[in-house]
Amino acid sequence: MLKQLLLAIVSVFVLSSAVFSSSWNDTLTGNITTVKTLQNNKRYLILGTVFVEQGGTLVIPAGTQLFGDKTSKASIVVKRGGYINAVGTFDAPIIFTSSQPVGSKSAGDWGGIILLGKARINTPTGADTLGIEGISPAVYFGGQTDNDSSGVMKYCRIEYPGIALSPNNEINGLTFGGVGSRTVIDYIMVSYSGDDSYEWFGGTVNCTHLIACYAVDDDFDTDNGFRGNVQFCLDVRNPNIADVSGSNGFESDNNATPNYNAPRTQPNFSNVTIVGPLKDTTSTINPNFTRGIHDRRNSLMSIANSLIMGWPTAALLDGAGTTCALQNDSSRIKSNIFSGCYQGYKSTNAGCSFDAIVYMSGNNTSYPINSLMQLTDPYGAYSTGNYSPANFNPAAGSPALTGSNFTYPGFNNFVNTTYRGAFSQNDTWANTWTNFRPDTVNYKLGPIGIQPISNVVPKSFSLQQNYPNPFNPSTKISFNVASNGFAKLVIFDVLGREVASLVNENLKAGEYAVNFNASNLPSGVYLYRLTLSGDKASFTSTKRLILVK
């Protein structure tokens, strides 16, 4: 008995040592039944499935970093009646990412985020008796309250989610189950999801400014009576990453078992830019890539004012329930631009004398090659590895700059634009808070938070040159804060890629210092930028540091 007790104590000590290594300041685990507020000067390791129970609230401040544990298949599930308040900012997004080291991260390293609510879904009982996809034991969703709220998520990055809990039982990057219309979802980026980037199971939540990058399966997947509006979305695919089930940009079903259960799946998508894997017909891609749109199983999905490029098949309109709805204008795919989809438009089991080529060509613009879309450089980053949001803006003269139409039924509540796709010619909504290369960033470098040197209020904002410089492997960066406000200190490489985020927090006026440990970076020249948004003034300064090993 004593031996077993000693072994247990040693096991706890080993686990605690692993959990509370220099990489983590705290853990997020268990059930949240009241209000739990995290701190943005800590790194949190998510362990196992964290349930926000009915009556519980999870508050995540801007700039907080959370790391999903792979071994325990970490996930965050907000149950019906639970609430999440995860509000990042343009300069300080909330980051949910993999706990694996740089160079070892991959799609499906951890679970993801699941929001559940009380809005209607189209199972016979109006609530799912089987539970939400990917979570065991079953957690139910749905109800009769379409204006329900599951909380707020803004300016959040979700990286490397979508772990397979068991074969064919994966979690998505961000999953919605019966989520109601008072929930706020805006400025979300899902990267390297092991399943879908986003999936909606019923509900009425409206979403804006969504980015999906390098998912394994589909990007925008709608089922079980989802009826929300989704606007301003970007989808970028890696040509080497696709799923054996067939990867699509859009996939929509009324129900997994084809039926006409009400409420019918009837989402409206507008101003979406989907950059598929095919730069041109000579491109080598994963053979499991299939379609820009797969509309099937009696879905009433509508898509307008969007750009879909570089898929083997532009759209597969599948089954009489879906094709008759398009023919009768109960749903619509209109005022979009398709390019570089060499297999064109297809339909199966079409009813109502539906002809996919006639319908799609008559209601949309089609180009045989992607260059005629005239986006700035949507495929250049595949070779350079240097994605920028500006790559996807339409250039002068692009057909995407005109041709939008918001007169269709269901599109009256959208923001009206003259352009089609996610961006205008000079749009910057995807700048700063995003990261298109999370595989290069070591969030664990340096401490989260900083060391106050003095609380004497300095006369002005300032950023000092790091010392020592050159350095190996650590150096100190000092700065002055002249008035209370938000501070952000970020390290970049010479290509402008963020390699470390050292400070993301509100500070009182005073003098501060932070140690930067670059032991995992190669020798070279780096830049560090301090941005201070004080209550009296703002300040930005950039300086150079040199790492010599």
Side-chain angles (χ1 to χ4, degrees):
M1 182 70 181
L2 178 60
K3 182 178 180 181
Q4 291 175 335
L5 179 60
L6 289 173
L7 287 173
I9 292 172
V10 170
S11 298
V12 170
F13 176 77
V14 171
L15 176 60
S16 299
S17 299
V19 168
F20 291 103
S21 68
S22 59
S23 298
W24 325 114
N25 305 99
D26 208 339
T27 59
L28 183 64
T29 188
N31 296 353
I32 298 171
T33 58
T34 57
V35 177
K36 183 175 181 63
T37 302
L38 307 187
Q39 302 176 42
N40 61 9
N41 61 351
K42 292 184 176 182
R43 292 187 180 96
Y44 290 87
L45 180 65
I46 309 170
L47 289 171
T49 303
V50 177
F51 291 105
V52 183
E53 302 284 350
Q54 180 173 337
T57 299
L58 175 60
V59 180
I60 307 177
T64 304
Q65 297 178 4
L66 301 96
F67 299 80
D69 177 62
K70 188 170 186 174
T71 301
S72 63
K73 301 183 178 181
S75 304
I76 296 176
V77 180
V78 180
K79 290 186 177 182
R80 292 183 295 186
Y83 197 88
I84 188 170
N85 187 345
V87 181
T89 66
F90 191 72
D91 294 319
I94 295 168
I95 300 169
F96 303 87
T97 192
S98 166
S99 64
Q100 298 297 104
V102 173
S104 300
K105 298 180 181 182
S106 61
D109 272 349
W110 63 291
I113 299 174
I114 297 174
L115 305 183
L116 306 178
K118 302 176 182 178
R120 289 180 297 153
I121 62 177
N122 65 15
T123 60
T125 63
D128 198 323
T129 57
L130 299 177
I132 191 67
E133 179 181 75
I135 295 296
S136 180
V139 180
Y140 306 124
F141 63 98
Q144 299 299 315
T145 309
D146 279 350
N147 65 346
D148 184 38
S149 176
S150 299
V152 181
M153 292 186 69
K154 296 186 69 173
Y155 291 107
C156 295
R157 298 206 305 256
I158 304 170
E159 301 169 352
Y160 302 100
I163 199 167
L165 299 183
S166 60
N168 301 313
N169 186 26
E170 303 93 352
I171 300 176
N172 305 295
L174 180 55
T175 303
F176 306 89
V179 175
S181 60
R182 289 194 300 115
T183 306
V184 177
I185 304 295
D186 198 11
Y187 297 100
I188 309 294
M189 183 176 196
V190 175
S191 303
Y192 290 105
S193 175
D195 194 36
D196 300 335
S197 295
Y198 303 88
E199 185 161 10
W200 294 262
F201 295 91
T204 54
V205 61
N206 301 312
C207 305
T208 50
H209 301 104
L210 305 183
I211 299 178
C213 292
Y214 330 125
V216 172
D217 198 4
D218 309 316
D219 287 294
F220 305 108
D221 194 346
T222 59
D223 315 274
N224 289 110
F226 173 55
R227 288 152 291 132
N229 292 333
V230 183
Q231 187 174 23
F232 303 122
C233 302
L234 172 65
D235 170 22
V236 185
R237 300 302 300 231
N238 183 311
N240 302 310
I241 301 174
D243 191 61
V244 293
S245 66
S247 296
N248 307 290
F250 290 100
E251 183 175 275
S252 189
D253 308 81
N254 189 53
N255 203 293
T257 302
N259 55 48
Y260 291 91
N261 286 3
R264 290 272 291 275
T265 297
Q266 195 170 12
N268 299 310
F269 287 89
S270 183
N271 296 96
V272 181
T273 295
I274 292 190
V275 181
L278 281 167
K279 180 179 180 180
D280 52 48
T281 55
T282 67
S283 300
T284 300
I285 66 171
N286 188 306
N288 292 312
F289 279 110
T290 50
R291 317 159 192 96
I293 300 172
H294 190 188
D295 198 8
R296 64 181 185 176
R297 294 176 179 166
N298 307 321
S299 165
L300 297 177
M301 176 175 62
S302 291
I303 304 170
N305 311 314
S306 296
L307 312 178
I308 300 171
M309 59 195 303
W311 289 84
T313 297
L316 173 60
L317 310 173
D318 198 350
T322 294
T323 55
C324 285
L326 292 167
Q327 186 79 356
N328 298 329
D329 209 39
S330 299
S331 63
R332 50 210 57 85
I333 301 176
K334 296 182 176 182
S335 299
N336 305 293
I337 306 177
F338 294 84
S339 70
C341 304
Y342 62 92
Q343 295 180 11
Y345 308 113
K346 298 180 179 180
S347 62
T348 63
N349 301 315
C352 308
S353 301
F354 181 83
D355 185 306
I357 297 175
V358 171
Y359 175 88
M360 294 294 288
S361 300
N363 290 291
N364 303 278
T365 305
S366 303
Y367 294 112
I369 55 176
N370 289 320
S371 60
L372 296 176
M373 188 85 79
Q374 296 186 56
L375 301 191
T376 303
D377 191 18
Y379 288 97
Y382 284 158
S383 58
T384 65
N386 189 28
Y387 268 123
S388 164
N391 291 142
F392 311 105
N393 288 28
S398 168
L401 292 173
T402 59
S404 64
N405 189 334
F406 290 88
T407 64
Y408 305 124
F411 286 78
N412 56 306
N413 291 323
F414 283 94
V415 175
N416 285 17
T417 66
T418 56
Y419 58 89
R420 291 179 281 182
F423 305 100
S424 67
Q425 188 175 355
N426 300 305
D427 226 324
T428 59
W429 67 258
N431 291 3
T432 305
W433 66 278
T434 56
N435 181 8
F436 287 81
R437 290 300 309 276
D439 56 310
T440 66
V441 179
N442 190 346
Y443 297 109
K444 304 173 189 176
L445 287 178
I448 284 285
I450 56 178
Q451 300 81 49
I453 297 175
S454 171
N455 59 6
V456 175
V457 178
K459 294 182 180 180
S460 62
F461 294 112
S462 65
L463 173 64
Q464 284 78 54
Q465 184 64 48
N466 66 293
Y467 180 83
N469 190 38
F471 70 100
N472 178 26
S474 298
T475 187
K476 178 184 285 186
I477 300 172
S478 302
F479 58 92
N480 293 334
V481 179
S483 62
N484 297 342
F486 191 87
K488 182 174 183 178
L489 179 60
V490 178
I491 309 293
F492 298 92
D493 64 16
V494 292
L495 296 177
R497 298 177 296 195
E498 180 180 319
V499 297
S501 177
L502 303 184
V503 179
N504 270 297
E505 57 187 285
N506 287 302
L507 299 178
K508 294 181 179 180
E511 299 178 0
Y512 296 87
V514 60
N515 290 317
F516 172 46
N517 186 319
S519 58
N520 291 331
L521 292 177
S523 298
V525 177
Y526 295 86
L527 302 172
Y528 59 102
R529 178 180 301 150
L530 175 68
T531 303
L532 294 163
S533 302
D535 53 14
K536 297 179 181 179
S538 297
F539 169 84
T540 299
S541 180
T542 302
K543 293 184 181 294
R544 184 176 65 173
L545 46 77
I546 301 173
L547 173 61
V548 178
K549 293 186 174 180

